[in-house]
Amino acid sequence: GAGVSQSPRYKVAKRGQDVALRCDPISGHVSLFWYQQALGQGPEFLTYFQNEAQLDKSGLPSDRFFAERPEGSVSTLKIQRTQQEDSAVYLCASSLVPAGDMVVGELFFGEGSRLTVL
Amino acid sequence: AQSVAQPEDQVNVAEGNPLTVKCTYSVSGNPYLFWYVQYPNRGLQFLLKYITGDNLVKGSYGFEAEFNKSQTSFHLKKPSALVSDSALYFCAVRDETGGFKTIFGAGTRLFVKA
């Protein structure tokens, strides 16, 4: 497709369940980011991939959060043993330009995956 | 550390009037500044960016922003607001020393009344 695609759009999980959120970036985009957006807040950085390499995971809130991009395209954000505080919209964004490049490209966002943990 | 402040939770303006959405930032190195817009149940869309050069940047849908280094501000402006401009606006910043992160403000909701 032409844009960043995320699935599922909505996910309801019981506390303690594992969830997996998928991101399909724009074809050819080198950079891929995951952000967490709580209700009424701005997006908070979680992690960054350049191709298949995870270069920054400093924003992941706990070791229950894990992200991968094994072939440098599709990425999965996995949350183990979900807690109520994990409820948020998870946004994926991609960019043609590597994030470390001096010519900084804008981010193209998907519509997000809204996670509700009961 | 990088940070972005959007001091107004909401801005109300009448259609046809000029609008300003405020943003101030703090970075260690040279700033790269962005504005994004978010419509209900949609992802963020890029509006405009300042990397270097002219302090007045023009972007999508008639929006523009002015980079002011001395005031560390990057306010979003539009000469004549439309009802369809009503949305949530986010200011964001990166700097050359801040690694790979783009840091977003908390957002400002713009409401344009007909």
Side-chain angles (χ1 to χ4, degrees), chain B residues 30-48:
Chain B
N30 291 321
Y32 304 136
L33 295 154
F34 304 82
W35 276 100
Y36 289 83
V37 60
Q38 187 174 37
Y39 297 100
N41 298 315
R42 302 295 299 276
L44 280 74
Q45 298 177 29
F46 169 77
L47 276 180
L48 51 79

Side-chain angles (χ1 to χ4, degrees), chain A residues 2-60:
Chain A
V4 177
S5 178
Q6 291 189 246
S7 61
R9 289 291 314 279
Y10 303 93
K11 176 68 178 178
V12 178
K14 293 182 179 179
R15 190 175 58 180
Q17 281 185 329
D18 297 348
V19 299
L21 308 176
R22 175 189 169 102
C23 173
D24 201 339
I26 294 171
S27 178
H29 277 200
V30 169
S31 297
L32 186 145
F33 299 80
W34 283 99
Y35 282 82
Q36 180 189 60
Q37 186 177 20
L39 190 64
Q41 301 296 317
E44 296 280 345
F45 172 84
L46 292 178
T47 187
Y48 166 68
F49 290 86
Q50 185 169 307
N51 296 308
E52 69 278 2
Q54 188 175 21
L55 299 186
D56 189 340
K57 55 181 180 179
S58 62
L60 296 176

Side-chain angles (χ1 to χ4, degrees), chain A residues 50-108:
Chain A
Q50 185 169 307
N51 296 308
E52 69 278 2
Q54 188 175 21
L55 299 186
D56 189 340
K57 55 181 180 179
S58 62
L60 296 176
S62 76
D63 59 6
R64 297 185 296 103
F65 287 71
F66 171 77
E68 61 182 5
R69 193 185 185 197
E71 298 180 357
S73 56
V74 171
S75 177
T76 303
L77 177 67
K78 298 179 179 178
I79 309 173
Q80 297 177 325
R81 305 181 303 280
T82 52
Q83 303 295 316
Q84 286 188 325
E85 61 264 28
D86 300 334
S87 296
V89 176
Y90 291 85
L91 297 171
C92 176
S94 69
S95 176
L96 180 61
V97 179
D101 198 299
M102 287 299 291
V103 178
V104 181
E106 61 268 25
L107 301 180
F108 295 83

Side-chain angles (χ1 to χ4, degrees), chain B residues 8-108:
Chain B
E8 303 152 317
D9 290 337
Q10 181 163 315
V11 170
N12 299 307
V13 64
E15 187 174 34
N17 283 0
L19 69 88
T20 298
V21 182
K22 296 180 179 177
C23 171
T24 59
Y25 65 90
S26 175
V27 297
S28 300
N30 291 321
Y32 304 136
L33 295 154
F34 304 82
W35 276 100
Y36 289 83
V37 60
Q38 187 174 37
Y39 297 100
N41 298 315
R42 302 295 299 276
L44 280 74
Q45 298 177 29
F46 169 77
L47 276 180
L48 51 79
K49 66 182 177 184
Y50 170 83
I51 303 301
T52 187
D54 195 346
N55 288 344
L56 184 63
V57 178
K58 295 187 183 296
S60 306
Y61 312 120
F63 283 94
E64 58 188 29
E66 186 168 12
F67 170 63
N68 187 318
K69 187 173 183 178
S70 63
Q71 297 186 4
T72 61
S73 67
F74 190 57
H75 301 329
L76 181 70
K77 300 181 179 182
K78 187 173 182 180
S80 179
L82 299 172
V83 172
S84 58
D85 292 331
S86 299
L88 191 55
Y89 290 81
F90 291 96
C91 182
V93 67
R94 285 195 58 224
D95 76 36
E96 56 195 358
T97 67
F100 305 102
K101 304 176 188 179
T102 298
I103 304 300
F104 287 81
T108 298

